[in-house]
Amino acid sequence: MNMRKIFIPLALIAIAVLTLGACSGKKEAGQTVNNFRIKRGTNVSHWLSQSEERGEARKNHIKEADFARLDSLGFDFVRIPIDEVQFWDEEGNKLPEAWELLTNALDWAGKHHLRAIVDLHIIRSHYFNAVNESGQAANTLFTSEKAQQDLINLWYQLSDVLKGYSNDSVAYEFMNEPVADDHEQWNQLVAKVHKALREREPQRTLVIGSNRWQGYETMKYLKVPEGDKNIVLSFHYYNPMLLTHYGAWWTPTRDYKGKINYPGVLVSKEDYEATPDSIKPLIEPYTKEEWNIDHIRADFKDAIEAAKKYDLQLFCGEWGVYEPVDRELAYKWTKDMLEVFDESGIAWTTWCYDADFGFWDQQKNDFKDKPLVDLLMSAKGL
């Protein structure tokens, strides 16, 4: 018998170790708890979501080098938003190129020691910002049984492709920023999608957020499926919006051109008086409240209590400051956010890696905000 030496590439060994990790973890009340533990990451946004790029432009937008970079900087995971329109046509047929890009991204993440959350960001029956953007069709998800089954079917197809990835390395976030009129509508959909996914993947870590744009203030209304420890609770935080979104064209306060302060009262009386009458009602609340680290702590209280109640990991899936905002103000707010995250054991992904809240410039292949990265890496890692 002719025997040959077989050389196994290190990358394949690493993937095998991650796959074996799907069987690891501790037993708790009859369920194996995954080792999907996360701390500091970023959103790889405006690539497979919220982007018109297709073909070579989309293929070249994010590459393996980006995942290697995030690993080398000290991030331990990524959130990858994806949109229905990029993965399925209007007849429900798969669009193969996007699927290949997603699996490439998950392979690269695993190779470069990054866990990943696949986030179904926008679907045809639900867009988180439809209420604020003219020309957008109304959301039908919470009033249509068909739309809800369509959402489950999307996840059946995603599961068919992604189920081979280790439960310790890849998690599913089955919808981003739900906007239901009634909290119970979202709770009922959570139960329905959770049941459907658990029939396919009993162990996969699922990320579940709160109603009304994943708001911290609605976390207390969220009903989490009982007895499932492979769930991560998620909220988003951009407060105070006048600071984090200063000048952003899509916000109601976009026309405010006055000075803002942080910490303290955001808008002085003098700056308020100089504000055009048309937007004074939008700015007035920012002339009264003190914004500082204690305000952030108070805002996070309900989310922290929910995580304690269910004994689950807590995760802030989006937070960040719009790129044009004064950097010193941005850093002060970021520092306070990181301090609260660390003292409360909250995992996070910044919004975002390379878009208009990001720190990396893909065109120049260089940092556009290295001090921000240095600040982020001063926070606790895994």
Side-chain angles (χ1 to χ4, degrees), residues 214-281:
Q214 246 145 301
Y216 64 93
E217 71 279 14
T218 59
M219 187 68 82
K220 60 190 172 195
Y221 304 113
L222 179 65
K223 293 179 181 176
V224 180
E226 296 286 346
D228 190 341
K229 295 303 180 185
N230 288 321
I231 288 174
V232 174
L233 296 184
S234 172
F235 70 103
H236 295 173
Y237 193 85
Y238 289 104
N239 286 354
M241 287 285 287
L242 187 65
L243 166 61
T244 65
H245 286 64
Y246 182 81
W249 59 266
W250 63 93
T251 63
T253 58
R254 59 185 171 271
D255 294 326
Y256 177 68
K257 307 299 183 186
K259 185 181 177 184
I260 51 175
N261 310 288
Y262 184 90
V265 176
L266 257 66
V267 178
S268 69
K269 290 180 180 179
E270 293 75 18
D271 285 307
Y272 174 73
E273 291 302 327
T275 300
D277 290 342
S278 59
I279 60 170
K280 269 184 178 174

Side-chain angles (χ1 to χ4, degrees), residues 95-281:
L95 300 170
E97 184 184 271
W99 291 83
E100 182 181 355
L101 293 175
L102 177 60
T103 53
N104 284 346
L106 295 177
D107 291 340
W108 295 332
K111 180 178 176 182
H112 295 286
H113 320 102
L114 299 167
R115 291 183 168 94
I117 294 171
V118 177
D119 153 49
L120 191 51
H121 208 69
I122 301 172
I123 58 178
R124 287 186 170 94
S125 62
H126 184 276
Y127 170 47
F128 56 87
N129 208 29
V131 70
N132 294 320
E133 292 191 16
S134 59
Q136 292 292 335
N139 290 332
T140 59
L141 179 65
F142 296 106
T143 55
S144 166
E145 289 287 333
K146 180 185 181 300
Q148 294 183 13
Q149 187 57 50
D150 287 345
L151 170 62
I152 290 170
N153 290 340
L154 298 183
W155 273 110
Y156 281 161
Q157 294 179 65
L158 283 163
S159 172
D160 286 344
V161 172
L162 304 181
K163 63 187 178 185
Y165 289 96
S166 163
N167 292 324
D168 292 342
S169 62
V170 174
Y172 302 162
E173 183 171 353
F174 58 74
M175 208 177 79
N176 171 71
E177 295 196 354
V179 189
D181 290 336
D182 186 275
H183 300 310
E184 202 54 35
Q185 290 177 306
W186 174 235
N187 289 332
Q188 290 171 9
L189 185 57
V190 166
K192 190 181 291 188
V193 180
H194 175 269
K195 181 176 184 290
L197 277 173
R198 279 292 173 251
E199 289 171 355
R200 296 290 185 100
E201 296 196 51
Q203 290 294 127
R204 180 69 58 187
T205 294
L206 303 178
V207 179
I208 299 175
S210 49
N211 189 30
R212 308 292 292 176
W213 301 280
Q214 246 145 301
Y216 64 93
E217 71 279 14
T218 59
M219 187 68 82
K220 60 190 172 195
Y221 304 113
L222 179 65
K223 293 179 181 176
V224 180
E226 296 286 346
D228 190 341
K229 295 303 180 185
N230 288 321
I231 288 174
V232 174
L233 296 184
S234 172
F235 70 103
H236 295 173
Y237 193 85
Y238 289 104
N239 286 354
M241 287 285 287
L242 187 65
L243 166 61
T244 65
H245 286 64
Y246 182 81
W249 59 266
W250 63 93
T251 63
T253 58
R254 59 185 171 271
D255 294 326
Y256 177 68
K257 307 299 183 186
K259 185 181 177 184
I260 51 175
N261 310 288
Y262 184 90
V265 176
L266 257 66
V267 178
S268 69
K269 290 180 180 179
E270 293 75 18
D271 285 307
Y272 174 73
E273 291 302 327
T275 300
D277 290 342
S278 59
I279 60 170
K280 269 184 178 174

